[in-house]
Amino acid sequence: RNRREGWIIFIIIAFPAFSILLILFYRQIRINHKARMLVKQQYEQIKQHDEIVERHSREISDNLTYAGIIQSAVLSVQSVFEENFEEHFIYFKPKRIVSGDFYWTTRKDNNIFLAVADCTGHGVQGAFISLLGMTFLNEIVNKMQLEYTDEILSQLRDKLSQSLSGNDLTFE
């Protein structure tokens, strides 16, 4: 009889304890499953964001490469140097794909005009300023027909200042 009562007490205690353990185990399995699903969703989101970033990065790189081609086309061509300078070399190596540095030359009558410039900034912002500089130099020398360095540089500063007047940039 004592044995039987012992088994009954054991069953009365063990069954609820075992049930509680099963419930906790099942609950932990559900929590782990939800966590795995959440991690999987986050992984998919990160993967999608990575693809978007990669696509945008490729587009930016392609645009910069094309801008570099445009900038190279605007820079004075090799033939201008060959016609005007017997011995010369051009070392133009942008820090990035495009550059704020530029060289420019033109011939007007018996005068040769040459500029080597370092515009404010590197990369895209410097390249924009360098394109403005080359464009304005062409206009100042070829259309306005200025010939003296001080007049050309003063006019270049004025034109750059006017074209960027909406910004907080100053040219001194």
Side-chain angles (χ1 to χ4, degrees):
R1 185 176 173 148
N2 282 342
R3 258 184 153 183
R4 191 185 283 177
E5 286 176 5
W7 276 106
I8 292 173
I9 292 172
F10 174 75
I11 291 173
I12 291 172
I13 293 172
F15 182 73
F18 185 69
S19 298
I20 290 171
L21 285 175
L22 281 176
I23 291 169
L24 291 175
F25 183 70
Y26 176 73
R27 187 169 175 236
Q28 190 62 42
I29 288 173
R30 284 184 53 211
I31 289 171
N32 287 346
H33 178 71
K34 285 181 182 178
R36 278 195 302 273
M37 294 305 289
L38 181 62
V39 167
K40 186 176 179 181
Q41 284 177 334
Q42 290 173 342
Y43 174 77
E44 290 300 322
Q45 287 176 343
I46 289 170
K47 194 172 161 184
Q48 288 174 350
H49 284 90
D50 281 349
E51 290 171 1
I52 291 169
V53 167
E54 177 65 30
R55 187 177 70 242
H56 286 200
S57 177
R58 200 171 34 253
E59 288 173 3
I60 289 169
S61 180
D62 291 348
N63 287 336
L64 283 173
T65 300
Y66 189 66
I69 292 168
I70 292 170
Q71 187 179 36
S72 294
V74 173
L75 289 169
S76 294
V77 292
Q78 183 73 18
S79 62
V80 174
F81 285 93
E82 290 172 359
E83 292 170 6
N84 296 301
F85 303 103
E86 189 174 309
E87 292 186 29
H88 71 277
F89 71 93
I90 298 171
Y91 180 76
F92 181 74
K93 186 172 176 126
K95 182 177 180 181
R96 303 264 194 265
I97 297 172
V98 291
S99 174
D101 304 335
F102 73 92
Y103 55 90
W104 171 88
T105 187
T106 191
R107 183 181 190 108
K108 191 175 132 204
D109 301 324
N110 288 331
N111 296 321
I112 299 172
F113 296 88
L114 173 67
V116 178
D118 182 0
C119 292
T120 302
H122 292 283
V124 175
Q125 64 274 23
F128 274 119
I129 301 297
S130 72
L131 288 173
L132 285 174
M134 289 182 278
T135 302
F136 291 149
L137 283 171
N138 279 325
E139 183 180 330
I140 293 165
V141 173
N142 295 321
K143 291 182 181 173
M144 297 175 69
Q145 299 190 10
L146 296 180
E147 295 182 357
Y148 296 104
T149 305
D150 61 332
E151 293 174 344
I152 293 170
L153 291 176
S154 178
Q155 194 62 235
L156 178 61
R157 180 182 45 86
D158 291 346
K159 286 187 169 296
L160 283 170
S161 184
Q162 287 171 2
S163 69
L164 301 171
S165 63
N167 297 315
D168 293 332
L169 300 173
T170 57
F171 299 93
E172 297 178 14

Coordinates of all heavy atoms in Angstrom, one line a residue, residues 25-98:
F25 N 8.9 23.8 -23.1 CA 9.6 23.3 -24.3 C 8.9 23.8 -25.6 O 9.5 24.3 -26.5 CB 9.8 21.8 -24.2 CG 10.6 21.3 -25.3 CD1 11.9 21.5 -25.4 CD2 10.0 20.5 -26.3 CE1 12.7 21.0 -26.5 CE2 10.7 20.0 -27.4 CZ 12.0 20.2 -27.5
Y26 N 7.6 23.5 -25.6 CA 6.8 23.9 -26.8 C 6.8 25.5 -27.0 O 7.0 25.9 -28.1 CB 5.3 23.5 -26.6 CG 4.4 23.9 -27.7 CD1 4.5 23.4 -29.0 CD2 3.5 25.0 -27.5 CE1 3.7 23.8 -30.0 CE2 2.7 25.4 -28.6 CZ 2.8 24.8 -29.8 OH 2.0 25.2 -30.9
R27 N 6.7 26.2 -25.9 CA 6.8 27.7 -25.9 C 8.2 28.1 -26.5 O 8.2 29.0 -27.3 CB 6.5 28.2 -24.5 CG 6.4 29.7 -24.5 CD 5.9 30.2 -23.2 NE 5.9 31.6 -23.2 CZ 6.6 32.4 -22.3 NH1 7.2 31.8 -21.3 NH2 6.6 33.7 -22.3
Q28 N 9.2 27.5 -26.0 CA 10.6 27.8 -26.5 C 10.7 27.5 -28.0 O 11.3 28.3 -28.7 CB 11.6 27.1 -25.7 CG 13.0 27.6 -25.9 CD 13.2 29.0 -25.5 OE1 12.7 29.5 -24.5 NE2 13.9 29.8 -26.4
I29 N 10.1 26.4 -28.4 CA 10.2 26.1 -29.8 C 9.5 27.2 -30.7 O 10.0 27.6 -31.7 CB 9.6 24.7 -30.1 CG1 10.5 23.6 -29.6 CG2 9.3 24.5 -31.6 CD1 9.9 22.2 -29.6
R30 N 8.3 27.6 -30.2 CA 7.6 28.7 -30.9 C 8.4 30.0 -30.9 O 8.5 30.7 -31.9 CB 6.2 28.9 -30.2 CG 5.2 27.8 -30.6 CD 3.8 28.1 -30.0 NE 3.3 29.4 -30.4 CZ 2.5 30.1 -29.6 NH1 2.1 29.7 -28.4 NH2 2.1 31.3 -30.0
I31 N 9.0 30.3 -29.8 CA 9.8 31.6 -29.7 C 11.0 31.5 -30.7 O 11.3 32.4 -31.4 CB 10.3 31.8 -28.3 CG1 9.1 32.2 -27.4 CG2 11.4 32.9 -28.2 CD1 9.4 32.3 -25.9
N32 N 11.6 30.3 -30.7 CA 12.8 30.1 -31.6 C 12.3 30.2 -33.1 O 13.0 30.8 -33.9 CB 13.5 28.8 -31.4 CG 14.3 28.8 -30.1 OD1 14.5 29.8 -29.5 ND2 14.6 27.6 -29.6
H33 N 11.2 29.6 -33.4 CA 10.6 29.7 -34.7 C 10.3 31.1 -35.1 O 10.7 31.5 -36.3 CB 9.4 28.8 -34.8 CG 8.7 28.8 -36.2 ND1 9.3 28.2 -37.3 CD2 7.6 29.4 -36.6 CE1 8.5 28.4 -38.3 NE2 7.5 29.1 -38.0
K34 N 9.7 31.9 -34.3 CA 9.4 33.3 -34.6 C 10.7 34.1 -34.7 O 10.8 34.9 -35.6 CB 8.6 33.9 -33.4 CG 7.1 33.5 -33.4 CD 6.4 34.2 -32.3 CE 4.9 33.7 -32.3 NZ 4.2 34.3 -31.2
A35 N 11.7 33.8 -33.9 CA 13.0 34.5 -34.0 C 13.6 34.1 -35.4 O 14.2 35.0 -36.1 CB 13.9 34.1 -32.9
R36 N 13.6 32.8 -35.8 CA 14.2 32.5 -37.1 C 13.4 33.1 -38.2 O 14.0 33.6 -39.2 CB 14.1 30.9 -37.2 CG 15.3 30.2 -36.6 CD 15.4 28.8 -37.0 NE 14.2 28.0 -36.8 CZ 13.9 27.3 -35.7 NH1 14.7 27.4 -34.7 NH2 12.8 26.6 -35.6
M37 N 12.1 33.2 -38.1 CA 11.3 33.9 -39.2 C 11.7 35.4 -39.2 O 11.8 36.0 -40.3 CB 9.8 33.7 -38.9 CG 9.3 32.3 -39.1 SD 9.8 31.5 -40.7 CE 8.7 32.4 -41.7
L38 N 11.8 36.0 -38.1 CA 12.2 37.4 -38.0 C 13.6 37.7 -38.6 O 13.8 38.6 -39.4 CB 12.1 37.9 -36.6 CG 12.5 39.4 -36.4 CD1 11.5 40.3 -37.1 CD2 12.5 39.8 -34.9
V39 N 14.5 36.8 -38.3 CA 15.9 36.9 -38.8 C 15.8 36.7 -40.3 O 16.5 37.4 -41.1 CB 16.8 35.9 -38.1 CG1 18.1 35.7 -38.9 CG2 17.1 36.3 -36.7
K40 N 15.0 35.8 -40.8 CA 14.9 35.5 -42.2 C 14.3 36.8 -42.9 O 14.8 37.2 -44.0 CB 14.0 34.3 -42.5 CG 14.0 33.9 -43.9 CD 13.1 32.6 -44.1 CE 13.1 32.2 -45.6 NZ 12.3 31.0 -45.8
Q41 N 13.3 37.4 -42.3 CA 12.7 38.6 -42.9 C 13.7 39.7 -43.0 O 13.9 40.4 -44.0 CB 11.5 39.0 -42.1 CG 10.3 38.2 -42.3 CD 9.1 38.7 -41.4 OE1 9.4 39.3 -40.4 NE2 7.9 38.5 -41.9
Q42 N 14.5 39.9 -41.9 CA 15.5 40.9 -41.8 C 16.6 40.7 -42.8 O 17.1 41.6 -43.5 CB 16.0 41.1 -40.4 CG 15.0 41.6 -39.4 CD 15.5 41.6 -38.0 OE1 16.5 40.9 -37.6 NE2 14.9 42.4 -37.2
Y43 N 17.0 39.4 -43.0 CA 18.0 39.1 -44.0 C 17.5 39.4 -45.4 O 18.3 40.0 -46.2 CB 18.3 37.6 -43.9 CG 19.3 37.1 -45.0 CD1 20.6 37.4 -44.9 CD2 18.8 36.4 -46.1 CE1 21.5 37.0 -45.9 CE2 19.6 36.0 -47.1 CZ 21.0 36.3 -47.0 OH 21.8 35.9 -48.0
E44 N 16.3 39.1 -45.7 CA 15.7 39.5 -47.0 C 15.7 41.0 -47.2 O 16.0 41.5 -48.3 CB 14.3 38.9 -47.2 CG 14.3 37.3 -47.3 CD 15.1 36.8 -48.5 OE1 15.0 37.5 -49.5 OE2 15.7 35.8 -48.3
Q45 N 15.3 41.7 -46.2 CA 15.3 43.2 -46.3 C 16.7 43.7 -46.5 O 16.9 44.6 -47.3 CB 14.7 43.8 -45.0 CG 13.2 43.6 -44.9 CD 12.6 44.2 -43.5 OE1 13.4 44.4 -42.6 NE2 11.3 44.3 -43.5
I46 N 17.6 43.2 -45.7 CA 19.0 43.6 -45.9 C 19.5 43.3 -47.3 O 20.2 44.1 -48.0 CB 19.9 43.0 -44.8 CG1 19.6 43.6 -43.5 CG2 21.4 43.2 -45.2 CD1 20.3 42.9 -42.3
K47 N 19.2 42.1 -47.8 CA 19.5 41.7 -49.2 C 19.0 42.7 -50.2 O 19.6 43.1 -51.1 CB 19.1 40.3 -49.4 CG 19.7 39.6 -50.6 CD 19.3 38.1 -50.6 CE 19.4 37.5 -51.9 NZ 19.0 36.1 -51.9
Q48 N 17.7 43.0 -50.0 CA 17.0 44.0 -50.9 C 17.7 45.4 -50.9 O 18.0 46.0 -51.9 CB 15.5 44.1 -50.6 CG 14.7 42.9 -51.0 CD 13.3 43.1 -50.5 OE1 12.9 44.0 -49.7 NE2 12.4 42.1 -51.0
H49 N 18.0 45.8 -49.7 CA 18.7 47.1 -49.5 C 20.1 47.1 -50.1 O 20.5 48.0 -50.7 CB 18.8 47.5 -48.0 CG 17.5 48.0 -47.5 ND1 16.6 47.2 -46.9 CD2 16.9 49.2 -47.4 CE1 15.5 47.9 -46.5 NE2 15.7 49.1 -46.8
D50 N 20.8 46.0 -49.9 CA 22.1 45.8 -50.6 C 22.0 45.9 -52.1 O 22.9 46.5 -52.7 CB 22.8 44.5 -50.2 CG 23.4 44.5 -48.8 OD1 23.5 45.6 -48.2 OD2 23.7 43.4 -48.3
E51 N 21.0 45.3 -52.7 CA 20.8 45.3 -54.1 C 20.5 46.8 -54.6 O 21.1 47.2 -55.6 CB 19.7 44.4 -54.5 CG 20.0 42.9 -54.4 CD 18.8 42.0 -54.6 OE1 17.7 42.5 -54.9 OE2 19.0 40.8 -54.5
I52 N 19.7 47.5 -53.8 CA 19.4 48.9 -54.1 C 20.7 49.7 -54.0 O 21.0 50.5 -54.9 CB 18.3 49.4 -53.2 CG1 17.0 48.8 -53.5 CG2 18.2 51.0 -53.3 CD1 15.9 49.0 -52.5
V53 N 21.4 49.6 -52.9 CA 22.7 50.3 -52.8 C 23.7 50.0 -53.9 O 24.3 50.9 -54.5 CB 23.3 50.1 -51.4 CG1 24.7 50.6 -51.3 CG2 22.4 50.6 -50.3
E54 N 23.8 48.7 -54.2 CA 24.7 48.3 -55.3 C 24.3 48.9 -56.7 O 25.1 49.4 -57.4 CB 24.7 46.8 -55.4 CG 25.6 46.3 -56.6 CD 27.0 46.6 -56.4 OE1 27.5 46.7 -55.2 OE2 27.7 46.7 -57.4
R55 N 23.0 48.9 -56.9 CA 22.5 49.5 -58.2 C 22.7 51.0 -58.2 O 23.2 51.6 -59.2 CB 21.0 49.2 -58.3 CG 20.4 49.7 -59.7 CD 18.9 49.4 -59.9 NE 18.1 50.2 -59.1 CZ 17.3 49.8 -58.1 NH1 17.2 48.5 -57.8 NH2 16.6 50.6 -57.4
H56 N 22.5 51.7 -57.1 CA 22.7 53.2 -57.0 C 24.2 53.5 -57.1 O 24.6 54.4 -57.8 CB 22.1 53.7 -55.8 CG 20.6 53.8 -55.8 ND1 19.9 54.7 -55.0 CD2 19.7 53.2 -56.5 CE1 18.6 54.6 -55.2 NE2 18.5 53.7 -56.1
S57 N 25.0 52.6 -56.5 CA 26.4 52.8 -56.6 C 26.9 52.7 -58.0 O 27.8 53.4 -58.5 CB 27.1 51.8 -55.7 OG 28.5 51.9 -55.7
R58 N 26.4 51.7 -58.7 CA 26.8 51.4 -60.1 C 26.3 52.6 -61.0 O 27.1 53.1 -61.8 CB 26.2 50.1 -60.6 CG 26.8 49.5 -61.8 CD 26.3 48.1 -62.1 NE 24.9 47.8 -61.8 CZ 24.5 47.0 -60.8 NH1 25.4 46.5 -60.0 NH2 23.2 46.8 -60.6
E59 N 25.1 53.1 -60.7 CA 24.6 54.3 -61.5 C 25.5 55.5 -61.3 O 25.9 56.2 -62.2 CB 23.2 54.6 -61.1 CG 22.2 53.6 -61.6 CD 20.8 53.8 -61.0 OE1 20.6 54.8 -60.3 OE2 19.9 53.0 -61.3
I60 N 25.9 55.7 -60.0 CA 26.7 56.9 -59.7 C 28.1 56.7 -60.3 O 28.6 57.7 -60.9 CB 26.9 57.1 -58.1 CG1 25.5 57.5 -57.6 CG2 28.0 58.0 -57.8 CD1 25.5 57.5 -56.0
S61 N 28.6 55.5 -60.2 CA 29.9 55.3 -60.9 C 29.9 55.5 -62.4 O 30.8 56.1 -63.0 CB 30.4 53.9 -60.5 OG 31.6 53.6 -61.1
D62 N 28.8 55.0 -63.0 CA 28.7 55.1 -64.5 C 28.5 56.6 -64.8 O 29.1 57.1 -65.8 CB 27.4 54.4 -65.0 CG 27.6 52.8 -64.9 OD1 28.8 52.4 -64.7 OD2 26.6 52.1 -65.0
N63 N 27.7 57.3 -64.0 CA 27.6 58.8 -64.3 C 28.9 59.5 -64.1 O 29.2 60.4 -64.9 CB 26.5 59.4 -63.3 CG 25.1 58.9 -63.7 OD1 24.8 58.6 -64.9 ND2 24.2 58.9 -62.8
L64 N 29.6 59.2 -63.1 CA 30.9 59.8 -62.9 C 31.9 59.5 -64.0 O 32.6 60.4 -64.5 CB 31.5 59.4 -61.6 CG 31.0 60.1 -60.3 CD1 31.5 59.5 -59.1 CD2 31.2 61.6 -60.4
T65 N 31.9 58.3 -64.5 CA 32.7 57.9 -65.6 C 32.3 58.7 -66.9 O 33.2 59.2 -67.6 CB 32.6 56.4 -65.9 OG1 33.0 55.7 -64.7 CG2 33.4 55.9 -67.1
Y66 N 31.0 58.8 -67.1 CA 30.6 59.6 -68.2 C 31.0 61.1 -68.1 O 31.4 61.7 -69.0 CB 29.1 59.5 -68.4 CG 28.6 60.1 -69.7 CD1 29.0 59.6 -71.0 CD2 27.8 61.2 -69.7 CE1 28.6 60.1 -72.1 CE2 27.3 61.7 -70.9 CZ 27.7 61.2 -72.1 OH 27.3 61.8 -73.3
A67 N 30.8 61.6 -66.8 CA 31.3 63.0 -66.6 C 32.7 63.2 -66.8 O 33.2 64.2 -67.3 CB 30.9 63.4 -65.1
G68 N 33.5 62.1 -66.5 CA 35.0 62.2 -66.7 C 35.3 62.2 -68.2 O 36.2 62.9 -68.7
I69 N 34.5 61.5 -69.0 CA 34.6 61.6 -70.5 C 34.3 63.0 -71.0 O 35.0 63.5 -71.8 CB 33.7 60.5 -71.1 CG1 34.3 59.1 -70.8 CG2 33.7 60.7 -72.7 CD1 33.3 57.9 -71.2
I70 N 33.2 63.5 -70.5 CA 32.8 64.9 -70.9 C 33.9 65.9 -70.5 O 34.3 66.7 -71.3 CB 31.5 65.3 -70.3 CG1 30.4 64.5 -70.9 CG2 31.2 66.8 -70.5 CD1 29.0 64.6 -70.2
Q71 N 34.4 65.8 -69.3 CA 35.5 66.7 -68.8 C 36.7 66.5 -69.7 O 37.3 67.5 -70.1 CB 35.8 66.4 -67.4 CG 36.8 67.5 -66.8 CD 37.2 67.3 -65.4 OE1 37.3 66.1 -64.9 NE2 37.3 68.3 -64.6
S72 N 37.1 65.3 -70.0 CA 38.3 65.1 -70.9 C 38.0 65.7 -72.3 O 39.0 66.3 -72.9 CB 38.5 63.6 -71.1 OG 38.9 63.1 -69.9
A73 N 36.8 65.7 -72.8 CA 36.5 66.2 -74.1 C 36.6 67.8 -74.0 O 37.0 68.4 -75.0 CB 35.1 65.8 -74.5
V74 N 36.3 68.3 -72.9 CA 36.3 69.8 -72.8 C 37.7 70.3 -72.6 O 38.0 71.4 -73.0 CB 35.4 70.3 -71.6 CG1 35.5 71.8 -71.4 CG2 33.9 69.9 -71.9
L75 N 38.6 69.5 -72.0 CA 40.0 69.9 -71.8 C 40.6 70.2 -73.2 O 40.2 69.6 -74.1 CB 40.7 68.9 -71.0 CG 40.4 68.7 -69.6 CD1 41.0 67.5 -69.0 CD2 40.8 69.9 -68.8
S76 N 41.5 71.1 -73.2 CA 42.2 71.4 -74.5 C 42.8 70.1 -75.1 O 43.4 69.3 -74.4 CB 43.4 72.4 -74.2 OG 42.8 73.6 -73.8
V77 N 42.6 70.0 -76.4 CA 43.0 68.8 -77.1 C 44.5 68.8 -77.3 O 45.1 69.9 -77.4 CB 42.2 68.6 -78.4 CG1 40.8 68.3 -78.1 CG2 42.4 69.8 -79.3
Q78 N 45.0 67.6 -77.4 CA 46.5 67.5 -77.6 C 47.0 68.2 -78.9 O 48.1 68.8 -78.8 CB 46.8 66.0 -77.8 CG 48.2 65.6 -77.9 CD 49.0 65.7 -76.6 OE1 48.4 65.8 -75.6 NE2 50.3 65.8 -76.8
S79 N 46.2 68.3 -79.9 CA 46.6 69.0 -81.1 C 46.9 70.5 -80.9 O 47.9 71.0 -81.5 CB 45.6 68.8 -82.2 OG 44.4 69.5 -81.9
V80 N 46.2 71.1 -80.0 CA 46.5 72.5 -79.7 C 47.9 72.7 -79.1 O 48.6 73.6 -79.5 CB 45.4 73.1 -78.7 CG1 45.8 74.5 -78.3 CG2 44.0 73.0 -79.4
F81 N 48.3 71.7 -78.2 CA 49.6 71.8 -77.7 C 50.6 71.4 -78.7 O 51.7 72.1 -78.8 CB 49.7 70.8 -76.5 CG 49.0 71.3 -75.3 CD1 47.7 71.0 -75.0 CD2 49.7 72.1 -74.4 CE1 47.1 71.4 -73.8 CE2 49.1 72.6 -73.2 CZ 47.8 72.3 -73.0
E82 N 50.4 70.5 -79.6 CA 51.3 70.1 -80.6 C 51.6 71.2 -81.6 O 52.7 71.4 -82.0 CB 50.8 68.8 -81.4 CG 50.9 67.6 -80.5 CD 50.2 66.4 -81.2 OE1 49.7 66.5 -82.3 OE2 50.2 65.3 -80.5
E83 N 50.5 72.0 -81.9 CA 50.7 73.1 -82.8 C 51.5 74.3 -82.2 O 52.1 75.0 -82.9 CB 49.3 73.6 -83.3 CG 48.5 72.6 -84.1 CD 47.1 73.1 -84.3 OE1 46.7 74.2 -83.9 OE2 46.3 72.3 -84.9
N84 N 51.3 74.4 -80.9 CA 51.9 75.6 -80.3 C 53.1 75.4 -79.4 O 53.9 76.4 -79.2 CB 50.8 76.3 -79.4 CG 49.6 76.8 -80.2 OD1 49.8 77.6 -81.1 ND2 48.5 76.2 -80.0
F85 N 53.4 74.2 -79.0 CA 54.6 73.9 -78.2 C 55.3 72.7 -78.8 O 54.8 71.6 -78.8 CB 54.1 73.6 -76.8 CG 53.3 74.7 -76.1 CD1 51.9 74.5 -76.0 CD2 53.9 75.9 -75.7 CE1 51.1 75.5 -75.4 CE2 53.1 76.9 -75.1 CZ 51.7 76.7 -75.0
E86 N 56.6 73.0 -79.2 CA 57.3 72.0 -79.8 C 57.6 70.8 -78.9 O 57.4 69.7 -79.2 CB 58.7 72.5 -80.3 CG 59.5 71.6 -81.1 CD 60.7 72.3 -81.7 OE1 60.6 73.4 -82.3 OE2 61.8 71.7 -81.5
E87 N 58.0 71.1 -77.7 CA 58.2 70.1 -76.6 C 57.3 70.4 -75.5 O 57.2 71.4 -74.9 CB 59.7 70.1 -76.1 CG 60.7 69.7 -77.2 CD 62.1 69.6 -76.6 OE1 62.2 69.3 -75.4 OE2 63.0 69.9 -77.3
H88 N 56.5 69.3 -75.2 CA 55.5 69.5 -74.1 C 55.1 68.1 -73.6 O 55.3 67.1 -74.3 CB 54.3 70.3 -74.6 CG 53.4 69.5 -75.5 ND1 53.7 69.4 -76.9 CD2 52.4 68.7 -75.3 CE1 52.8 68.6 -77.4 NE2 52.0 68.2 -76.5
F89 N 54.5 68.1 -72.5 CA 53.8 66.9 -72.0 C 52.7 67.3 -71.1 O 52.7 68.5 -70.6 CB 54.8 66.0 -71.2 CG 55.2 66.5 -69.9 CD1 54.5 66.1 -68.7 CD2 56.3 67.3 -69.8 CE1 54.9 66.6 -67.5 CE2 56.7 67.8 -68.5 CZ 56.0 67.5 -67.4
I90 N 51.7 66.5 -71.0 CA 50.5 66.8 -70.1 C 50.4 65.7 -69.1 O 50.3 64.5 -69.5 CB 49.2 66.9 -70.9 CG1 49.3 68.0 -71.9 CG2 48.0 67.1 -70.0 CD1 48.2 68.1 -73.0
Y91 N 50.5 66.0 -67.9 CA 50.3 65.1 -66.8 C 49.0 65.5 -66.1 O 48.9 66.4 -65.3 CB 51.4 65.1 -65.8 CG 51.2 64.0 -64.7 CD1 51.4 62.7 -64.9 CD2 50.9 64.4 -63.4 CE1 51.3 61.7 -63.9 CE2 50.7 63.5 -62.4 CZ 50.9 62.2 -62.7 OH 50.7 61.2 -61.7
F92 N 47.9 64.7 -66.4 CA 46.6 65.0 -65.8 C 46.1 63.7 -65.2 O 45.7 62.8 -65.9 CB 45.7 65.5 -66.9 CG 44.3 65.9 -66.4 CD1 44.1 67.0 -65.6 CD2 43.2 65.1 -66.6 CE1 42.8 67.3 -65.1 CE2 42.0 65.4 -66.1 CZ 41.8 66.5 -65.4
K93 N 46.1 63.7 -63.9 CA 45.7 62.5 -63.2 C 44.7 62.9 -62.1 O 45.1 63.3 -61.0 CB 46.9 61.7 -62.6 CG 46.5 60.4 -62.0 CD 47.7 59.6 -61.6 CE 47.2 58.3 -61.0 NZ 47.7 57.2 -61.6
P94 N 43.4 62.8 -62.4 CA 42.4 63.2 -61.3 C 42.5 62.3 -60.1 O 42.8 61.1 -60.2 CB 41.1 63.0 -62.0 CG 41.4 63.0 -63.5 CD 42.8 62.4 -63.6
K95 N 42.3 62.9 -58.9 CA 42.2 62.1 -57.7 C 41.1 61.1 -57.8 O 41.2 60.0 -57.3 CB 42.0 63.1 -56.5 CG 42.0 62.4 -55.2 CD 41.9 63.5 -54.1 CE 41.9 62.8 -52.7 NZ 41.7 63.8 -51.6
R96 N 40.0 61.5 -58.3 CA 38.9 60.6 -58.5 C 38.6 60.5 -60.1 O 39.5 60.8 -60.8 CB 37.6 61.2 -57.8 CG 37.8 61.4 -56.4 CD 37.3 60.3 -55.6 NE 37.1 60.6 -54.1 CZ 38.0 60.3 -53.2 NH1 39.1 59.8 -53.6 NH2 37.8 60.6 -52.0
I97 N 37.4 60.2 -60.4 CA 37.1 60.0 -61.9 C 37.1 61.4 -62.6 O 37.6 61.6 -63.7 CB 35.8 59.3 -62.1 CG1 35.9 57.9 -61.5 CG2 35.4 59.3 -63.5 CD1 34.6 57.1 -61.4
V98 N 36.6 62.4 -61.9 CA 36.6 63.8 -62.4 C 37.5 64.6 -61.5 O 37.8 64.2 -60.4 CB 35.2 64.4 -62.5 CG1 34.4 63.7 -63.6 CG2 34.5 64.3 -61.2

